[in-house]
Amino acid sequence: MLIVKNIVIEWKHDKQILLDFGYQPNAVPKPVIVFAHGFKGFKDWGHFNKVMEYFIENDFAFVKFNFSHNGGTIEQPIDFPDLEAFGNNNYTKELDDLRTIIDWVETNNLIADKELNKQQIYLIGHSRGGGISILAANEDNRIKKVVTWAAVADLVNRYNEEQINHWKKEGVIYVENARTHQQMPLYYQLVENTLNNKDRFNVELASNNLNIPHLIIHGTKDEAVSVNEASIINKWSSNSELFIVEGAGHSFGASHPYNETTFPPHAQIVLDHTLAFLKK
């Protein structure tokens, strides 16, 4: 198994993207999984490194990355020293990031062409990364399958009018990071960017348009995103499969840091079901 971590990808918005990739170097073309983390997430969170190994062991190439404005830096990719970048993140930038990563899969010179099946690029997205993955799959015909774990069904209307009015007046709101206890800013530009692109960021429209296989996985005890959002996405999509994990939370039993040698039971269920779907 070959795994290369922290490749620096230059990006058009004066930011860089950190990327990990891995595969079995056996000269057999392998489908490529691109993994997108969620809000306040990062590529090395919890069990994500083990997730990468799991799919490599099962004959996939795997790519995961930090969104350019997730608040991490090249030097400190796990904590969030760049809160200014975090505050200036928006869905346009995340979609640009994901397209940049798929471009890299197609054109990079670090992986021999004989190792990748570039006609089979799949997305796995967690939480907000799931919503972004649905939008990206709708826009990019290079993506052949999409899997969403605990995905959000609505990126446009997640705040009520009172919250938005306060946000506009103050120019910023703050969300606490439960792990680091940082007060992380969200600048009002996120609202403006979202309102200016309401159709593009509409998960319902994107789901309706998807003509590729879509697996939707969600836990019944998700404390961050209601399991009802999975059912809603499933109703919108004509080519989706819904898999509910009884008793599972938002991260399917994983936490950060994660130092166990095996996966949490719920995470193992998610991985096995995802693998079966992607192997079809």
Side-chain angles (χ1 to χ4, degrees):
M1 181 186 300
L2 174 67
I3 292 178
V4 179
K5 292 184 66 67
N6 297 325
I7 299 297
V8 178
I9 308 297
E10 299 297 332
W11 194 72
K12 67 181 183 181
H13 292 278
D14 297 323
K15 283 289 178 185
Q16 296 167 315
I17 299 173
L18 270 186
L19 174 149
D20 302 342
F21 69 85
Y23 60 95
Q24 295 281 11
N26 55 12
V28 175
K30 292 164 278 291
V32 184
I33 295 171
V34 176
F35 179 79
H37 68 74
F39 182 56
K40 294 185 288 184
F42 48 96
K43 66 180 177 59
D44 297 303
W45 184 90
H47 64 324
F48 290 165
N49 288 319
K50 282 182 62 64
V51 168
M52 181 181 202
E53 293 172 4
Y54 172 89
F55 284 105
I56 294 171
E57 289 168 356
N58 284 284
D59 304 317
F60 290 89
F62 197 94
V63 174
K64 58 187 176 73
F65 66 100
N66 279 350
F67 280 106
S68 63
H69 286 67
N70 78 324
T73 62
I74 301 302
E75 297 75 23
Q76 292 178 265
I78 291 177
D79 293 317
F80 300 100
D82 193 352
L83 293 180
E84 190 69 13
F86 182 89
N88 282 296
N89 195 16
N90 57 50
Y91 306 140
T92 293
K93 289 173 181 174
E94 293 198 350
L95 286 169
D96 284 349
D97 288 350
L98 196 42
R99 180 174 289 272
T100 297
I101 298 305
I102 295 169
D103 290 345
W104 181 90
V105 168
E106 285 203 318
T107 62
N108 82 90
N109 57 10
L110 298 179
I111 309 174
D113 285 345
K114 64 186 178 182
E115 301 290 354
L116 301 183
N117 180 354
K118 297 177 183 179
Q119 303 307 310
Q120 295 296 322
I121 298 175
Y122 308 148
L123 295 185
I124 299 177
H126 177 245
S127 193
R128 186 164 103 176
I132 292 295
S133 293
I134 294 170
L135 301 183
N138 177 50
E139 292 185 350
D140 194 330
N141 60 15
R142 293 174 295 180
I143 299 163
K144 303 306 182 187
K145 292 183 181 180
V146 61
V147 180
T148 51
W149 297 345
V152 296
D154 190 349
L155 291 165
V156 176
N157 301 298
R158 299 202 76 81
Y159 301 92
N160 62 40
E161 185 176 355
E162 182 180 349
Q163 290 172 315
I164 289 175
N165 288 338
H166 171 76
W167 199 342
K168 184 175 184 179
K169 178 182 176 183
E170 299 296 326
V172 61
I173 62 172
Y174 294 89
V175 293
E176 183 172 359
N177 185 306
R179 179 175 63 88
T180 66
H181 304 294
Q182 291 165 291
Q183 294 297 318
M184 305 181 77
L186 295 172
Y187 296 121
Y188 188 70
Q189 62 81 30
L190 174 60
V191 177
E192 294 175 319
N193 177 256
T194 302
L195 294 179
N196 288 336
N197 295 277
K198 285 194 293 186
D199 287 345
R200 186 184 183 201
F201 300 157
N202 189 314
V203 177
E204 179 178 2
L205 289 178
S207 298
N208 282 332
N209 290 336
L210 275 188
N211 57 6
I212 61 173
H214 178 194
L215 174 62
I216 303 160
I217 300 181
H218 217 110
T220 60
K221 299 295 185 182
D222 193 319
E223 67 284 4
V225 180
S226 169
V227 67
N228 294 334
E229 298 200 33
S231 299
I232 291 169
I233 296 171
N234 186 50
K235 289 178 182 177
W236 291 336
S237 179
S238 62
N239 200 14
S240 61
E241 173 186 325
L242 177 64
F243 184 71
I244 301 298
V245 185
E246 191 64 38
H250 190 61
S251 58
F252 303 101
S255 58
H256 186 85
Y258 191 81
N259 299 313
E260 304 299 322
T261 57
T262 59
F263 290 110
H266 289 147
Q268 187 69 63
I269 291 169
V270 169
L271 289 169
D272 291 346
H273 203 83
T274 300
L275 178 65
F277 173 81
L278 294 179
K279 287 279 192 179
K280 288 180 183 176

